[in-house]
């Protein structure tokens, strides 16, 4: 596992714990179980501090590893930072409305994170040559370059060096269409387009 992958898995794990803590707290508050809420809050205090710290530290690390900061990511980060003071005030004042709003925001940020796991394919006008054949170089530039670079060696976001790949066209096409570990699947490419990109990788990038 690369450092990037370890950090990414840690981020996902702490975010899940963070989310569960807030789910339980919000449920207790809404059910008027104030004593239980207080004792639960006390019990998870250290865990919550640790999780919050790891949550921010891994999040900042991941942000700096990304090939580009997308608007969706900015929305996600804004939502997270909005929800924190709302949750603090909401639970301190036992304000159900604020606490619920904070929880819904955290849920929304979590949902955006899940949505961002898939990458929508960019198919430009130039993706089809004048003779109707697929312009694989153009598809590669539009969909792969941000992480792998023109020569396959960029290694952004923990991306594999494609100039050293040992995979055949079918395996590469399958990785493009289904993703693998931290590589998102590229949604919306046809089987033919994925095959064309795979062939492009094997003839123009591999071994260069
Ligand atoms: C968001 C960044 C990102 C984008 C965009 C991306 N990749 Fe990847 N790619 C990765 C990462 C990360 C890995 C390593 C995955 C792993 O560890 O299993 C990877 C691995 C691969 C591998 C496996 C290589 C091997 O020999 O094991 C291939 C092939 C590949 N990518 C091709 C492509 C192609 C072609 C595209 C464009 C259609 C593309 N990638 C777009 C991040 C990306």
């Amino acid at each position: 596992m690369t450092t990037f992958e370890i950090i990414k898995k840690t981020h996902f794990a702490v975010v899940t714990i963070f989310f569960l803590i807030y789910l339980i707290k919000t449920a207790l508050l809404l059910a008027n179980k104030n004593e239980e809420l207080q004792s639960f809050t006390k019990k998870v205090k250290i865990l919550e501090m640790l999780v919050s710290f790891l949550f921010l530290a891994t999040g900042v690390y991941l942000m700096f590893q990304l090939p580009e900061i997308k608007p969706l990511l900015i929305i996600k980060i804004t939502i997270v930072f909005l929800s924190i003071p709302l949750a603090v005030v909401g639970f301190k004042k036992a304000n159900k409305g604020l606490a619920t709003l904070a929880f819904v925001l955290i849920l929304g940020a979590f949902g955006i994170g899940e949505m961002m796991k898939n990458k929508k394919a960019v198919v430009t006008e130039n993706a089809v040559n004048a003779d109707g054949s697929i312009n694989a170089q153009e598809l590669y530039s539009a969909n792969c370059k941000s992480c792998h670079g023109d020569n396959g060696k960029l290694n952004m976001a923990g991306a594999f060096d494609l100039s050293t790949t040992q995979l055949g066209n079918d395996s590469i096409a399958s990785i493009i269409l289904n993703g693998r570990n931290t590589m998102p699947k590229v949604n919306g490419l046809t089987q033919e387009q994925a095959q064309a990109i795979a062939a492009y990788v094997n003839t123009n990038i591999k071994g260069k």
Side-chain angles (χ1 to χ4, degrees):
M1 260 208 275
T2 58
T3 315
F4 181 83
E5 273 178 298
I6 295 169
I7 306 263
K8 192 156 183 171
K9 288 215 164 90
T10 311
H11 187 69
F12 190 76
V14 291
V15 166
T16 308
I17 299 170
F18 192 79
F19 180 72
L20 287 175
I21 291 176
Y22 273 91
L23 176 69
I24 295 169
K25 277 193 182 182
T26 311
L28 289 174
L29 181 68
L30 290 182
N32 293 319
K33 300 210 182 287
N34 289 333
E35 262 170 47
E36 286 89 341
L37 175 59
Q38 267 170 21
S39 86
F40 178 75
T41 304
K42 229 184 238 161
K43 268 189 208 136
V44 296
K45 197 168 176 184
I46 304 276
L47 177 69
E48 201 182 330
M49 269 160 58
L50 185 73
V51 162
S52 308
F53 170 75
L54 283 174
F55 175 32
L56 287 178
T58 53
V60 168
Y61 174 89
L62 290 173
M63 216 171 77
F64 282 105
Q65 297 294 312
L66 290 176
E68 51 179 332
I69 306 281
K70 297 210 198 74
L72 213 51
L73 181 67
I74 296 175
I75 295 174
K76 179 178 149 181
I77 294 170
T78 310
I79 290 179
V80 169
F81 279 103
L82 260 178
S83 70
I84 294 172
L86 285 181
V88 170
V89 176
F91 283 106
K92 199 164 195 171
K93 304 219 149 135
N95 184 319
K96 289 179 186 165
L98 277 185
T100 308
L101 181 62
F103 179 71
V104 170
L105 286 178
I106 295 171
L107 185 69
F110 201 69
I112 292 177
E114 287 301 293
M115 264 165 64
M116 287 171 65
K117 279 190 177 162
N118 292 343
K119 210 169 134 41
K120 207 168 166 301
V122 178
V123 181
T124 55
E125 276 173 37
N126 300 339
V128 181
N129 292 319
D131 65 358
S133 62
I134 297 171
N135 184 343
Q137 179 168 18
E138 174 68 21
L139 285 175
Y140 179 87
S141 288
N143 297 288
C144 322
K145 199 173 114 175
S146 58
C147 293
H148 291 286
D150 274 324
N151 56 8
K153 297 187 178 110
L154 186 63
N155 302 341
M156 257 295 179
F160 193 91
D161 179 354
L162 292 182
S163 69
T164 65
T165 186
Q166 301 293 321
L167 301 172
N169 289 356
D170 287 346
S171 310
I172 296 182
S174 148
I175 292 175
I176 296 170
L177 295 173
N178 303 308
R180 196 183 78 189
N181 301 319
T182 47
M183 172 168 153
K185 71 169 166 192
V186 183
N187 267 336
L189 288 176
T190 64
Q191 187 74 44
E192 290 72 35
Q193 287 168 330
Q195 282 287 347
I197 301 172
Y200 174 81
V201 168
N202 269 332
T203 40
N204 294 292
I205 293 177
K206 182 179 170 178
K208 300 265 150 85

